[in-house]
Amino acid sequence: MYKIAVLPGDGIGAEVTAQAVRVLKAVGRRFKREFEFTEGLVGGAAYDTTGTPLPKETLELCHASDAILFGAAGGPKWDSLPAQLRPEAGGILSLRKELGLFANLRPVMVFAALENASTLKPGVVAGVDLLIVRELTGGLYFGKKYREDLPDGSIKVVDTLEYTTSEIERIVRVAFDLAGKRKGKVTSVDKANVLESSRLWREVATAVGRDYPDVSLEHMYVDNCAMQLIKNPGQFDVLVTENMFGDILSDQASVLSGSLGMLASASLGGRTALYEPAHGSAPDIAGKKQANPIASILSGALLLRFSFNLVEEAGCIERAITDVLNQGYRTADLLEQGKNAVNTVEMTDLIVKQILV
Ligand code: IPM
Ligand code: MG
């Protein structure tokens, strides 16, 4: 029996998470696995009912579960709340910190059927298979921050970017370990020409690299990396970078796969790992059944692989998605001329059907 905490959260988070659960249930049926799903409140949805974006019960549920499937947190409704009550800082960021989830894995794969779906030329994106390893519990996200009124009437704001050697070392090791099982190349992304934190990052990455003679290491400035990612993404295997750079570069890299709606993620490091689509709550399309459920469904596949070592089951989900895309079905974010438009639920119906054949 595998216990999964389900935290749908806000906006399209609720819609897509429900679809990922349907897919996991189908996999359970096909492979005779028993998954137990327990829902918890998080984000704005939790704030509205309990007054806090991360209720104690939710945290306890997470600690008592074997894995967490997360939807999304945030939306305009909660934007004016003080930082710690906002769904982002108070909800998902606190959850990552509380659970010690310092390693965020964001695989960017290009399904052959979607080579034409990207705004980039098919020749640029074809065959891309890269992995962004983003540090998730440090840097600007968690450093001291404040706002101060100055005597002249203006306002001063401070965000602090802190890292320690051990925080850098453990994330870089994750990247090297994974690269060793892939194409054997790590690109460490920093801004060492300007930032002290990046200079330490580069030193530590170089030192860790000596323990991995079979993996090559290159350093790349983040501005150059942003350019290289769309110019020649095929050069990358594993990218490792600090929290904020990883946030930005991963949204950008998702375009290679056709849409942010395809980008899944796994957050590891603590006893219980968390899986979530990288896309956020998308308030503009929430409640319209337009959202692409695939990022959440692929996050479910990562959950099976990383938390439960159910490799065949994870592969089954990925193959089902491949088949449905090959059959020409697309949600709105991926729609091209000549393809069949489907909504969130219809896309999932097709994937479930493919899993159960
Ligand atoms: C992500 C999201 C979050 C982040 C937001 C919702 C706080 O953009 O998971 O990439 O910045 O980490
Ligand atoms: Mg982001």
Side-chain angles (χ1 to χ4, degrees):
M1 166 84 99
Y2 300 95
K3 284 196 210 164
I4 304 175
V6 180
L7 314 183
D10 307 321
I12 61 166
E15 295 163 58
V16 297
T17 306
Q19 305 312 312
V21 169
R22 287 180 60 207
V23 168
L24 288 171
K25 284 183 177 163
V27 168
R29 217 172 313 142
R30 162 142 175 208
F31 291 87
K32 313 232 173 334
R33 304 283 180 196
E34 227 180 297
F35 303 125
E36 182 193 270
F37 300 93
T38 311
E39 270 206 29
L41 286 169
V42 76
Y47 174 81
D48 286 347
T49 27
T50 69
T52 158
L54 183 58
K56 200 167 91 270
E57 295 73 31
T58 300
L59 200 52
E60 282 166 8
L61 168 66
C62 291
H63 282 300
S65 302
D66 302 315
I68 304 158
L69 186 65
F70 185 91
K77 185 173 172 197
W78 306 284
D79 277 350
S80 50
L81 287 172
Q84 273 317 305
L85 289 178
R86 286 185 62 133
E88 296 90 347
I92 182 61
L93 298 188
S94 299
L95 197 52
R96 290 170 181 169
K97 195 71 167 181
E98 289 283 342
L99 298 171
L101 306 174
F102 67 87
N104 184 224
L105 278 40
R106 298 189 162 180
V108 180
M109 316 172 258
V110 178
F111 288 87
L114 296 183
E115 280 167 15
N116 286 303
S118 176
T119 50
L120 298 168
K121 293 196 181 94
V124 174
V125 301
V128 162
D129 176 12
L130 61 86
L131 174 66
I132 296 180
V133 177
R134 167 188 176 195
E135 201 291 324
L136 203 60
T137 52
L140 283 167
Y141 275 64
F142 294 94
K144 246 180 262 109
K145 44 185 104 250
Y146 65 85
R147 175 186 272 257
E148 187 187 322
D149 292 316
L150 295 179
D152 69 357
S154 66
I155 300 170
K156 174 181 168 180
V157 286
V158 173
D159 285 291
T160 326
L161 206 182
E162 279 181 40
Y163 271 109
T164 63
T165 309
S166 52
E167 283 175 311
I168 301 170
E169 181 175 340
R170 64 184 183 177
I171 187 73
V172 172
R173 279 198 189 280
V174 169
F176 272 96
D177 285 335
L178 291 164
K181 295 179 214 147
R182 295 170 47 101
K183 289 174 270 177
K185 179 177 175 189
V186 169
T187 304
S188 174
V189 181
D190 64 37
K191 187 73 184 172
N193 49 348
V194 176
L195 300 177
E196 200 54 40
S197 54
S198 282
R199 286 190 272 272
L200 182 63
W201 187 280
R202 196 173 272 224
E203 278 168 45
V204 173
T206 305
V208 170
R210 292 193 194 105
D211 293 342
Y212 296 84
D214 299 332
V215 178
S216 72
L217 167 66
E218 69 174 358
H219 302 282
M220 192 177 278
Y221 292 141
V222 62
D223 47 353
N224 181 27
C225 182
M227 190 258 287
Q228 295 295 336
L229 264 176
I230 47 173
K231 186 180 176 204
N232 176 18
Q235 69 185 288
F236 295 113
D237 179 18
V238 176
L239 295 118
V240 62
T241 192
E242 67 91 40
N243 203 345
M244 178 69 114
F245 295 161
D247 178 48
I248 298 169
L249 291 178
S250 57
D251 265 36
Q252 183 178 343
S254 76
V255 174
L256 304 166
S257 63
S259 156
L260 187 52
M262 297 297 293
L263 193 64
S265 91
S267 302
L268 317 174
R271 200 195 69 82
T272 312
L274 180 148
Y275 301 84
E276 58 171 317
H279 52 57
S281 61
D284 52 323
I285 57 162
K288 296 185 182 163
K289 278 205 207 167
Q290 277 177 19
N292 184 350
I294 294 180
S296 184
I297 294 170
L298 283 172
S299 299
L302 292 176
L303 182 155
L304 296 180
R305 184 173 289 124
F306 284 108
S307 282
F308 302 157
N309 200 26
L310 297 176
V311 178
E312 209 186 318
E313 288 81 346
C316 172
I317 294 180
E318 288 155 357
R319 264 194 316 282
I321 292 170
T322 307
D323 292 342
V324 171
L325 292 173
N326 285 343
Q327 290 158 13
Y329 296 102
R330 303 283 187 270
T331 41
D333 54 322
L334 290 169
L335 201 58
E336 310 161 52
Q337 199 122 58
K339 302 295 178 195
N340 307 317
V342 288
N343 68 26
T344 311
V345 177
E346 291 160 346
M347 175 55 92
T348 312
D349 291 343
L350 293 158
I351 294 168
V352 164
K353 200 170 120 210
Q354 207 62 36
I355 287 170
L356 294 176
V357 289

